[in-house]
Amino acid sequence: MDERQKPGVLRSYTPLTIGETQGALEILEPLTEQQLHLRQTVTSAAVATGAIALAFLLVAMAMGRRLVGRPVEQLVSLARRIGEGDLEARVHLRQKDELATLADAMNQMASGLAAARAQVTAETAARLATLEHLRHADRLGTVGKLASGVAHELGTPLNVVLGRAKMIASGEAEGDETRECALIITQQVQHMTGIIRQLLDFARRRTPQRAPEDLTELVARTLRLLHPMATRRGIILASEAEGPLRLDVDGGQLQQALTNLVVNGIHAMKRPGTLRVKLGRARALPPAELGGPEAEWVRLDVLDEGEGISPETLPRVFEPFFTTKDVGEGTGLGLSVSYGLIRDHGGWISVSSEPGRGSCFSIFLPPEAAGPQEAEA
Ligand SMILES: Nc1ncnc2c1ncn2[C@@H]1O[C@H](COP(=O)(O)OP(=O)(O)OP(=O)(O)O)[C@@H](O)[C@H]1O
Ligand SMILES: [Mg+2]
């Protein structure tokens, strides 16, 4: 290889005149030292640039975390606490930027929500107090109504008992008359016991004593008992059933509920007509207080051709002590007791009525209470 082509050599020429002769002086200088210097310079420049870039990155990250990351975390935590109902939560950012504006807005929102909640709590408390006040007044009214009802109900038989007892004591009644007086006293005492039993039934219901019952037979039995009362008013009691239907129920309680419904129907029929009791199964949606989806239920309808119930009265008929009957004629406990008995069986009673045409009270019972024979069928 030519000497001049060697890398790392600095070649410089200096013109030179010696006498008449012109020439040039070639100076060859090795570049080893300069190259080394250049390489070192490039390396240190690269390292310095890298270090500066890294330093900038670290500073940018630290600033980003301080100015954005942490405030955003605080805002997220504030939003979460407010969401969980902690309306006392606040956040205070030291910076003055959009995030600080957002924090102020969120603090104000929390204050607004806290004020609204306090107002709602105060209003609810006031409403509850008013309601309690009304209920108290209502209770006083119903207790008064019940007291006058019971006083009247018991007053009449007590007068009879007193009169007959006086007749016996004074000797006014003699021989057969004495026996007749004793008989009348017995009847009146039984009547009073019945009233007291109904009140007690209302006050403390016992849990149903379930046993397999044929509901068709239970309906027939109930209607047989009420037959004389209906006939006196020219009312025919009819029953329809799809077939034998056995359920595990407290026969006595179910009969009591059905009796109350039929007696109400008879009372509502001021003219002769037919009162029907229909037994079968039907799909129905339980009321809200019972809950659950639409399903098949055992249904017992009591359909009368009576005066019906006005839309204003209809929502109140199941209220304890609510009655439209005169003092002494009704205590207003029949339907509330019946409803309670059917609820104890896991069912409910519904009512529909057409004023002037009649009413339909329906007892719904859960089919799970079906006895073994019914379940197998
Ligand atoms: N079949 C019906 N037709 C019309 N109104 C009815 C019928 N059933 C109930 N009602 C109304 O509902 C009210 C409440 O009935 P509920 O059986 O609870 O009490 P009551 O019959 O008045 O007295 P009791 O305690 O003697 O049963 C009745 O007073 C009546 O106004
Ligand atoms: Mg009644």
Side-chain angles (χ1 to χ4, degrees):
M1 198 194 218
D2 181 6
E3 172 76 7
R4 283 170 296 179
Q5 299 298 313
K6 275 191 183 168
V9 175
L10 177 66
R11 210 179 284 270
S12 53
Y13 296 92
T14 308
L16 197 68
T17 310
I18 305 170
E20 294 275 306
T21 313
Q22 290 198 336
L25 180 67
E26 187 187 66
I27 302 163
L28 286 176
E29 225 183 320
L31 271 177
T32 327
E33 233 173 86
Q34 282 89 332
Q35 256 181 349
L36 203 67
H37 179 69
L38 185 66
R39 209 173 294 141
Q40 276 175 351
T41 310
V42 168
T43 310
S44 49
V47 169
T49 310
I52 290 169
L54 188 67
F56 265 113
L57 190 68
L58 290 176
V59 169
M61 277 172 67
M63 294 281 284
R65 165 123 195 83
R66 206 175 112 76
L67 293 175
V68 181
R70 208 169 312 142
V72 167
E73 263 173 27
Q74 283 174 286
L75 288 172
V76 168
S77 146
L78 176 68
R80 195 166 294 139
R81 284 176 65 188
I82 291 175
E84 284 165 0
D86 178 7
L87 300 182
E88 298 307 312
R90 299 284 182 276
V91 72
H92 297 289
L93 302 182
R94 263 175 277 155
Q95 64 223 54
K96 295 210 179 317
D97 56 7
E98 287 78 4
L99 289 177
T101 314
L102 179 60
D104 284 346
M106 285 178 75
N107 287 341
Q108 271 175 22
M109 181 187 77
S111 305
L113 285 174
R117 186 162 72 179
Q119 193 182 348
V120 167
T121 312
E123 277 173 12
T124 309
R127 205 166 301 150
L128 281 177
T130 315
L131 212 64
E132 191 45 43
H133 187 71
L134 283 174
R135 281 180 55 199
H136 182 66
D138 202 34
R139 269 201 300 270
L140 286 180
T142 49
V143 167
K145 219 155 119 192
L146 175 73
S148 60
V150 172
H152 192 280
E153 286 268 337
L154 297 180
T156 316
L158 275 174
N159 275 336
V160 177
V161 168
L162 188 67
R164 294 291 167 158
K166 273 183 181 166
M167 278 170 73
I168 297 169
S170 65
E172 193 187 323
E174 288 172 350
D176 279 355
E177 255 186 331
T178 320
R179 278 195 50 226
E180 195 196 315
C181 284
L183 211 68
I184 289 171
I185 289 173
T186 314
Q187 281 168 357
Q188 296 302 317
V189 168
Q190 276 168 351
H191 176 56
M192 289 188 282
T193 315
I195 295 169
I196 290 165
R197 197 181 317 118
Q198 206 186 355
L199 279 170
L200 285 179
D201 276 346
F202 179 74
R204 51 175 159 80
R205 292 200 311 267
R206 60 182 171 82
T207 46
Q209 312 287 309
R210 292 170 187 268
E213 274 277 352
D214 178 358
L215 293 200
T216 321
E217 169 49 30
L218 186 140
V219 170
R221 205 162 65 222
T222 311
L223 296 189
R224 258 198 312 276
L225 273 174
L226 297 171
H227 185 256
M229 180 190 188
T231 314
R232 267 203 307 275
R233 296 165 183 248
I235 296 166
I236 298 165
L237 299 180
S239 67
E240 296 167 28
E242 286 169 8
L245 211 161
R246 288 182 82 81
L247 277 194
D248 264 341
V249 290
D250 186 318
Q253 290 190 349
L254 189 56
Q255 188 170 348
Q256 189 188 347
L258 183 61
T259 305
N260 283 336
L261 298 188
V262 176
V263 169
N264 278 349
I266 293 174
H267 283 160
M269 290 171 69
K270 306 291 181 215
R271 281 191 299 268
T274 307
L275 186 146
R276 282 187 177 76
V277 178
K278 278 207 262 181
L279 176 63
R281 289 169 179 273
R283 287 195 72 74
L285 183 71
E289 90 232 29
L290 211 71
E294 193 187 284
E296 187 170 276
W297 294 79
V298 170
R299 178 172 173 165
L300 199 53
D301 287 332
V302 179
L303 296 130
D304 67 57
E305 295 173 350
E307 58 197 359
I309 307 168
S310 71
E312 302 81 56
T313 305
L314 200 63
R316 301 199 60 196
V317 291
F318 291 105
E319 274 178 30
F321 312 128
F322 175 80
T323 181
T324 54
K325 295 173 186 168
D326 289 338
V327 174
E329 275 185 21
T331 56
L333 288 173
L335 281 180
S336 53
V337 168
S338 305
Y339 197 93
L341 294 176
I342 300 303
R343 278 290 280 113
D344 288 350
H345 279 80
W348 77 97
I349 305 179
S350 75
V351 56
S352 61
S353 184
E354 243 185 282
R357 305 200 66 170
S359 311
C360 173
F361 281 82
S362 307
I363 296 178
F364 290 88
L365 290 167
E368 305 88 70
Q373 290 179 27
E374 175 64 17
E376 280 160 22

